[in-house]
Amino acid sequence: MKRSLRSVALVIALFAIFVGGASAHDRCDGANLKFAQEFAELKAMLGETMGEPLDCHEHAVNGDVIQHTTTGKAFIRPSVGIATFTDGWRHWELTSDGIRMSSKTTAYDVTITNLTVTQPFTPAVVATHRADAQLFATGEAASPEIQDLAENGAVPGLVQWWHDNPDASHVAVAFGAGEHPPIMPGESSTITIVADRGANHLSVASMLICTNDGFTGGAGLALPAVLGETATYMARAYDAGTERNTEDFADLVPPCQPLRGVSSDDAGTGMSNPDLAEDGVIARHGGVHGDLPMSDLTMEAHGWDIDAPVMQITVTQVGLVPTYEVAIENLTGTQPLTPAVVATHGSSLKLFGRGEAVIPELQDLAENGGVPGLHAALSDHADVVDVTVAAAGGPPPIMPGASVTATITGGSGATHLSAAAMLICTNDGFTGVAGLPLPNMIGESAVHTAVAYDAGTERNTEDFADLVPPCQGLRGVSSDDAGTGMSNPELAEGGVVVHHVGIDGGLPTSDLTIEAHGWDTDAPVVEITVTRIR
């Protein structure tokens, strides 16, 4: 193969350095760190991506010229003569045609659109995978996970199935907008998901909420192969063939009634009814009848055109997105924590600060465990790149001594991470971090320990009547007071965030005890570890 003129020039430059050394002006030392001459053009083209030198260039045993930077490593192999920079996952090569980049992971924007005017969808489970993973197929029996999704809206079970599937690459959930997680009629939801090399397919599944066992989605859809390319897929409604279509609210999931404004005395159920089981296969859904003996559903409120698609899936290749694994460990022996709201963002967001008043959504988290409100507020913030919730796989609280992990993306403008969780057995206690710098290199971790904070928004009565209801059941100490998930204006105080003084246990209204609910106020209550995984 003919070597490019640039490659030859670099080899000559390397030989000159080996033989003649560098001038005093160009020499790099501990007091004058600079990129080696052969990396100068690469640095000029990559800019901040390449970072700044951590040391002077060195010559490896194999002949490579290497220089470490704040974001990765630059190197040249004399036999090839191409200046290259890597952040551990991506590679940039300075060729005769300019910069050439390659990576082991590709990112995609996936937009889910509910095309119906009547049927709300559950949050959609979206996964990238290799060809051998099959989510569903018409004419075949539904898997237990598809059955549970189609009958009961069991999104977590299908997410876990993908996590356990050896052919899966990554899984994400597309939620609806506003205060409801469902994707409402006419609404769209967009997420970013990545695919590892070899994972060239995408699958999506979501329940049609006002059906017995209806669902929609796509299985084994081809991912766009070129940066910027978009693929659009239309999906029909399917019947899982696992439950008879009674159209009776008593047999449907409870959210159906309030979401469509049609209700009855039947509360609904989130459990499969063995008396309604049918041993069928997945088929095109016949739609809502509205005139069955037990029908609570109507064509006007719940029906759709059975000859038309109900979901549009739009997939665009957008390149690589930096991704981080966030591990949160509850260091206390007594205090359960709510799921933690985690966000990546730029430098302008300040989630909280000592001596400053909290934002309303953080107040609601600290007093009432308002995780959805804080998630929504951060999602709407212009400086935020991504938001997720780190929760336990079983009961949602992060129990004393337990750890949870979540994956979150970065990208353009994301330089920091913030997180917050409520100390459940307090009036307005919380913990977390505000503005932790994100790791730059693949495999690099940042570790932060945090103390407990008092939001300064509610007096610390330590009375179960003023605390969120889960506290009593989680710690096995209870009273006749049911607790509350609402702020009490009579307990309001216009304070600021301070270091929490802990549980008193001796107040006139105290139901909390130091033994069951206290912690070492001089020690951290949580450890947050952020690792860049791609």
Side-chain angles (χ1 to χ4, degrees):
M1 181 183 296
K2 184 179 293 184
R3 190 176 298 162
S4 70
L5 292 177
R6 173 176 278 134
S7 298
V8 173
L10 283 169
V11 172
I12 294 172
L14 285 169
F15 180 77
I17 291 173
F18 294 155
V19 175
S23 69
H25 176 74
D26 294 330
R27 188 174 296 121
C28 174
D29 56 41
N32 183 35
L33 290 177
K34 59 174 60 179
F35 281 108
Q37 183 178 354
E38 59 270 37
F39 297 134
E41 186 178 358
L42 184 62
K43 166 62 178 175
M45 298 185 74
L46 293 183
E48 293 182 0
T49 298
M50 194 162 164
E52 299 301 329
L54 290 175
D55 53 25
C56 297
H57 71 272
E58 60 187 51
H59 305 293
V61 174
N62 65 356
D64 288 1
V65 177
I66 298 172
Q67 190 163 19
H68 298 93
T69 82
T70 53
T71 57
K73 179 177 73 173
F75 64 92
I76 295 179
R77 291 189 170 91
S79 59
V80 178
I82 295 179
T84 304
F85 173 74
T86 179
D87 63 3
W89 200 257
R90 295 172 292 181
H91 287 71
W92 291 264
E93 297 177 345
L94 182 59
T95 72
S96 57
D97 297 321
I99 293 292
R100 181 175 63 202
M101 191 190 87
S102 63
S103 70
K104 300 177 183 177
T105 299
T106 304
Y108 302 86
D109 280 347
V110 180
T111 299
I112 307 296
T113 302
N114 183 336
L115 300 177
T116 76
V117 295
T118 58
Q119 272 287 335
F121 298 162
T122 60
V125 179
V126 182
T128 54
H129 56 86
R130 285 170 280 280
D132 289 342
Q134 180 172 297
L135 181 59
F136 67 88
T138 56
E140 298 186 8
S143 67
E145 293 77 16
I146 286 290
Q147 176 181 352
D148 203 19
L149 175 79
E151 294 183 14
N152 307 311
V155 169
L158 186 55
V159 169
Q160 189 61 52
W161 181 82
W162 279 117
H163 279 308
D164 295 338
N165 192 316
D167 289 310
S169 175
H170 292 268
V171 61
V173 178
F175 290 91
E179 60 186 70
H180 297 296
I183 304 173
M184 298 299 289
E187 186 177 272
S188 294
S189 176
T190 300
I191 61 165
T192 300
I193 190 169
V194 297
D196 295 329
R197 186 173 294 168
N200 300 320
H201 296 81
L202 180 103
S203 290
V204 178
S206 176
M207 178 193 186
L208 276 68
I209 290 177
C210 292
T211 65
N212 285 79
D213 61 343
F215 74 100
T216 185
L221 309 176
L223 287 168
V226 179
L227 182 65
E229 181 184 352
T230 296
T232 301
Y233 300 96
M234 298 295 185
R236 304 277 185 170
Y238 300 102
D239 188 310
T242 56
E243 180 173 297
R244 288 191 292 110
N245 295 326
T246 64
E247 301 183 1
D248 186 345
F249 281 148
D251 304 324
L252 306 185
V253 292
C256 171
Q257 300 182 49
L259 289 175
R260 295 303 299 148
V262 180
S263 59
S264 74
D265 295 332
D266 295 319
T269 178
M271 302 290 289
S272 299
N273 183 350
D275 294 335
L276 300 179
E278 58 179 359
D279 191 19
V281 296
I282 295 171
R284 283 270 300 275
H285 203 293
V288 170
H289 289 272
D291 58 358
L292 301 177
M294 302 181 71
S295 286
D296 287 316
L297 302 182
T298 69
M299 286 291 295
E300 296 74 21
H302 310 98
W304 66 89
D305 182 353
I306 61 173
D307 293 322
V310 297
M311 175 185 281
Q312 178 175 294
I313 305 165
T314 305
V315 191
T316 302
Q317 187 184 133
V318 294
L320 177 74
V321 175
T323 306
Y324 306 87
E325 183 179 81
V326 182
I328 299 178
E329 181 180 0
N330 183 339
L331 300 178
T332 76
T334 58
Q335 272 287 335
L337 307 176
T338 61
V341 181
V342 184
T344 52
H345 56 86
S347 58
S348 67
L349 173 69
K350 188 175 185 181
L351 183 57
F352 64 89
R354 292 198 198 195
E356 299 179 9
V358 296
I359 60 174
E361 294 81 9
L362 187 53
Q363 174 181 348
D364 192 39
L365 175 80
E367 294 183 13
N368 307 311
V371 170
L374 183 58
H375 184 283
L378 290 173
S379 297
D380 292 340
H381 196 287
D383 198 38
V384 170
V385 174
D386 193 19
V387 188
T388 191
V389 175
I398 307 172
M399 297 301 289
S403 296
V404 298
T405 60
T407 301
I408 192 168
T409 59
S412 179
T415 55
H416 294 80
L417 178 138
S418 292
M422 177 194 186
L423 276 68
I424 290 177
C425 292
T426 65
N427 285 79
D428 61 344
F430 74 98
T431 187
V433 62
L436 178 67
L438 288 167
N440 286 318
M441 294 185 62
I442 303 295
E444 180 185 353
S445 295
V447 181
H448 178 84
T449 55
V451 297
Y453 299 101
D454 188 310
T457 56
E458 180 172 298
R459 288 191 290 110
N460 295 327
T461 65
E462 301 183 359
D463 186 344
F464 282 147
D466 304 324
L467 307 185
V468 291
C471 171
Q472 300 182 49
L474 291 174
R475 294 302 298 149
V477 180
S478 59
S479 74
D480 295 332
D481 296 318
T484 180
M486 301 289 289
S487 298
N488 183 350
E490 296 180 0
L491 300 179
E493 56 181 1
V496 296
V497 175
V498 295
H499 191 136
H500 205 294
V501 297
I503 301 302
D504 186 291
L507 302 175
T509 54
S510 286
D511 287 317
L512 302 183
T513 68
I514 295 176
E515 294 75 20
H517 310 99
W519 67 90
D520 182 353
T521 59
D522 293 325
V525 298
V526 70
E527 181 177 273
I528 301 169
T529 304
V530 184
T531 303
R532 183 171 175 185
I533 58 175
R534 61 184 59 87

